[in-house]
Amino acid sequence: MLQGKKIWRSRTDSGKGRFFRKSLIMIFIVSGIPGLIIGGLIYWMAGGRVESELLQLHYQQIEQRSEQMDDQLSNLELLLSHWAFDNKFDYSLNGLDFVRDFKRTDDITKTLIAMQGSNALVKKAELFVGGKSQILFNPEYTPLQDQQDLNLYSKLIHGKNLTYWTQWAFDSDHPDQKDLTLVHHIPGGSPNPFGVLVFRFDSDKIASLLQTMTPYYEGEAFLQQKSGDLFVSASGSASNDTFVEALREKINGMKTEKGSFFFDWKGSTYTVSYGSLSRISDEWLYVSASPINSIIAPVMFISKLVITVSLIALLLAALLSWLASHRIYSPVKRLANLLGGYSGGAAWTGKEDEFALIEQQYQHLHKERLELNSKLAEQLPHVKESFLHQLLQGYLYAYSEEDLLRRMEKFKWEVGGRHFAVLFIQLNGIANMDEKFRSGDEGLITFAAVNMMKELASKHFEQSDTLNFHDLTAGIMLFLPEGGSYKQAVEAFSEELTTSVNRILRMRVTLAVSRQTAYISDLPNEFERVKQAVSYRNCDNANQIIDMEQGVLGGEAWAEPQYPFTLERELIQALRTGKEEEASELLSAFVGALSCAGAKEIDVQQGMLHLLGNIQHVIMVSGVNPNRLFKGVNLYEQLSQIREPKRMLTWFGDKVLAPYQKELSCRAGSEVKRLIEAAMIYMQQHYRQDISLDNCAEHIGTNPFYLSKSFKVVTGKNFIDYLTELRIEKAKELLRESELKINDVAEQVGYQHSYFNRIFKKLEGMTPTSYREQSQHL
């Protein structure tokens, strides 16, 4: 009441003229009439065209959902038929002692559990074996002692078809509780079946599936065999329900197998859609009956609601227009009131000058703007760093050169008349600092080094920005005066940085300097080149500077890497035989051979990746799944992120060798491994002679069958395959490292010349002569 009096007083003080009355009438019309028009149009559209379109859409939805239901039931039939023809359910089940053959029983149980979980509609997957066994799997093994239960399942075997649908009571104490059931004789396709595979379906889920054919869960939907033996309803009604019988009688009088019609029942009008589903050896009838009001009710309700609201708005229009009129008459007063109460100040009383108040508040807002600019200046370095990250990583490739320069100018960079260059710095030697830093301290070390880089770069370069990549690497972007030389400044900066990092962090620095470019858009490519150049550093623990103007290696000759094939074979041999200590020593020797004096980081990394691939091949050949063994970890990605040989050695031992050796120790006992090791030593010593499985077994004191089986389990290869690979590897060594004739090489490895050529070409894809010529060119 008090607020209303204040409003009325303010209105009477301002007066009411012609403009006020015209404005009041205009607002009244604008606020009320359009709502009535819109409501009438919506009501007309809902009552006519929208109603027919909604009904047509409803019919299409029912047909689509019936097709989806048909597809789902067909998939269930195909799934059950697939399993019925599986060799797990062949004639061997008839009379099988399931207690003795526990493995077969367990396999059947697991199969039934998998079948049961293959579709959400399946409540239970069962197997009944009649004949001599009289056994039920539901899905666990269950002997049938009760003759009543036995008769109940035996009747399913004598069904009229190989596969059929039925409604079956599986609880003899409750014959009225029937489940929708899909039955298939086993063995599949047999004229004399002795058992059945059964899918029992969840009645609630079947009802839920049918409820999708009724909007808003009103009405009725059911499935029925045309023979009348099966009936399923969404609402749980019986087949003799009066509404269901009336619908069936109406549908039976129709001349088409599918269609739709309106059906009046007890004062309500239903839209009914029906059709047929072709099931195995039978036809099913589906029916969906929905009250028409439930389909079009939302639109009708909304249209009526719009009309009602419009009428109410029309009645309130006068009051609302009168209340809004003070906004039309007093814009300056509202502004003065708003600014008078800004920032906690007192409300405007009308005694001061409005424009003096506006000027005063403008000064206050200007002061706040300056404070916001100051905060922006504090955040600008972080925004600039984020922009440089995106630029160098290539995420801004879609921007033109002009757009990039314009954005950099907005970030307060001086880019006019400037050339650009990139430095990429990598810290090395963390593997030798276990006493000072631990694994996981890379971010802390990089942070300390980047702070040094920022301070030193500000001394040596007119304009620069440093980027922290948090993985012992950093980047520096240089803004260079056009036409000036930056070589001396880079050399001085590099010398001072390496000295500081060596002294304070006890680490070594590898620094790559990009070419100078006049275009911002070239920087991502230059950055990628300097990153790649760092991978060509020597593995020696020393400071290195790589200048891209002088080539990747700075003019230094790049010696061909020597890959230690012999150490690799010995390491793989030790892994196969389970010699853990020897494998660890050979791995250390392998890394040492790769990272010998003058070796490049990329050569060491590629060599270790090659070794990883060969060991994964050995693991797969031995019957172990690498994805399971390494728990799906991408080993290649992890290894490619390690830059130092010592850390590669530690990682390889922990992540690759240890899991495989643990797996081998679980697969084969030490006795078997010693036996196979003796056989492998015998083959390595006598591969030049005529070796057979029999004489090898006789030599190590076992029988040929046990040797063959154990050899496959431990090594993952057959006896003869291993002997062939051994001989071919020895032959490849002789071809690479000697000048012996091909005949002599064949004799040296225990083959005749013609057979040697054939087997060599089969395994290596080329003749011995071609292999020798190719190896000499490498």
Side-chain angles (χ1 to χ4, degrees), residues 334-363:
R334 288 191 299 106
L335 181 60
N337 282 326
L338 176 64
L339 294 177
Y342 182 77
S343 68
W348 181 62
T349 61
K351 297 179 180 180
E352 310 103 86
D353 182 76
E354 296 93 335
F355 291 99
L357 176 66
I358 293 172
E359 182 180 2
Q360 177 185 355
Q361 292 301 330
Y362 170 79
Q363 296 294 337

Side-chain angles (χ1 to χ4, degrees), residues 573 577 672-686 691 693 696-697 699-700 702 707-708 711 715 719 722-723 726:
Q573 179 70 19
T577 55
V672 175
K673 288 192 288 186
R674 284 195 299 270
L675 186 70
I676 300 307
E677 182 180 2
M680 296 171 74
I681 292 173
Y682 176 79
M683 285 189 283
Q684 292 170 1
Q685 293 175 348
H686 299 85
I691 299 177
L693 181 65
C696 183
H699 176 77
I700 62 175
T702 186
L707 173 60
S708 176
F711 199 96
T715 66
F719 177 89
Y722 178 85
L723 178 59
L726 176 63

Side-chain angles (χ1 to χ4, degrees), residues 178 181 283 419 511 536 620 645 659 740:
K178 295 183 178 182
T181 306
E283 289 287 325
H419 283 194
L511 187 146
Y536 288 92
M620 292 179 67
L740 291 174

Side-chain angles (χ1 to χ4, degrees), residues 202-415:
D202 192 318
S203 300
D204 293 335
K205 292 182 179 179
I206 294 294
S208 299
L209 182 63
L210 289 173
Q211 283 177 353
T212 61
M213 301 175 68
T214 57
Y216 309 106
Y217 300 101
E218 295 183 17
E220 178 62 84
F222 61 87
L223 286 173
Q224 182 180 12
Q225 281 183 340
K226 290 189 176 181
S227 61
D229 297 332
L230 183 147
F231 178 86
V232 182
S233 170
S235 61
S237 59
S239 60
N240 57 358
D241 182 81
T242 55
F243 181 64
V244 172
E245 289 182 347
L247 284 174
R248 284 196 303 223
E249 183 178 355
K250 179 70 174 179
I251 292 170
N252 290 336
M254 294 291 179
K255 297 181 180 180
T256 58
E257 292 186 359
K258 67 176 182 177
S260 59
F261 58 91
F262 292 102
F263 183 71
D264 294 325
W265 177 261
K266 294 184 178 179
S268 298
T269 301
Y270 291 80
T271 173
V272 181
S273 297
Y274 69 95
S276 61
L277 304 176
S278 295
R279 299 271 56 84
I280 297 176
S281 302
D282 204 348
E283 289 287 325
W284 288 13
L285 173 69
Y286 72 87
V287 179
S288 171
S290 304
I292 192 171
N293 292 334
S294 65
I295 300 175
I296 64 172
V299 177
M300 299 296 292
F301 171 78
I302 291 174
S303 61
K304 292 177 180 178
L305 180 62
V306 171
I307 292 176
T308 303
V309 172
S310 299
L311 289 173
I312 296 174
L314 189 62
L315 296 176
L316 296 176
L319 177 61
L320 294 176
S321 351
W322 184 79
L323 292 174
S325 64
H326 78 282
R327 295 181 180 273
I328 299 174
Y329 280 102
S330 55
V332 177
K333 181 180 178 180
R334 288 191 299 106
L335 181 60
N337 282 326
L338 176 64
L339 294 177
Y342 182 77
S343 68
W348 181 62
T349 61
K351 297 179 180 180
E352 310 103 86
D353 182 76
E354 296 93 335
F355 291 99
L357 176 66
I358 293 172
E359 182 180 2
Q360 177 185 355
Q361 292 301 330
Y362 170 79
Q363 296 294 337
H364 179 74
L365 292 173
H366 178 67
K367 181 180 178 182
E368 289 192 348
R369 182 181 66 84
L370 294 178
E371 292 177 357
L372 291 174
N373 285 336
S374 176
K375 293 180 180 179
L376 177 61
E378 294 176 1
Q379 297 298 322
L380 186 59
H382 303 290
V383 178
K384 293 170 68 176
E385 182 176 3
S386 175
F387 173 82
L388 285 182
H389 270 285
Q390 296 181 48
L391 173 65
L392 296 182
Q393 297 292 344
Y395 297 134
L396 304 181
Y397 65 90
Y399 288 83
S400 65
E401 182 72 18
E402 292 75 14
D403 292 337
L404 292 174
L405 290 173
R406 196 159 42 245
R407 291 191 65 180
M408 296 186 75
E409 288 174 349
K410 289 182 179 179
F411 289 139
K412 310 302 181 184
W413 274 305
E414 296 181 10
V415 294

Side-chain angles (χ1 to χ4, degrees), residues 727 742-743 745-759:
R727 286 173 168 172
I742 303 300
N743 290 345
V745 171
E747 184 177 354
Q748 285 288 326
V749 297
Y751 285 125
Q752 294 181 359
H753 178 247
S754 59
Y755 182 74
F756 172 70
N757 282 343
R758 233 175 18 251
I759 194 69

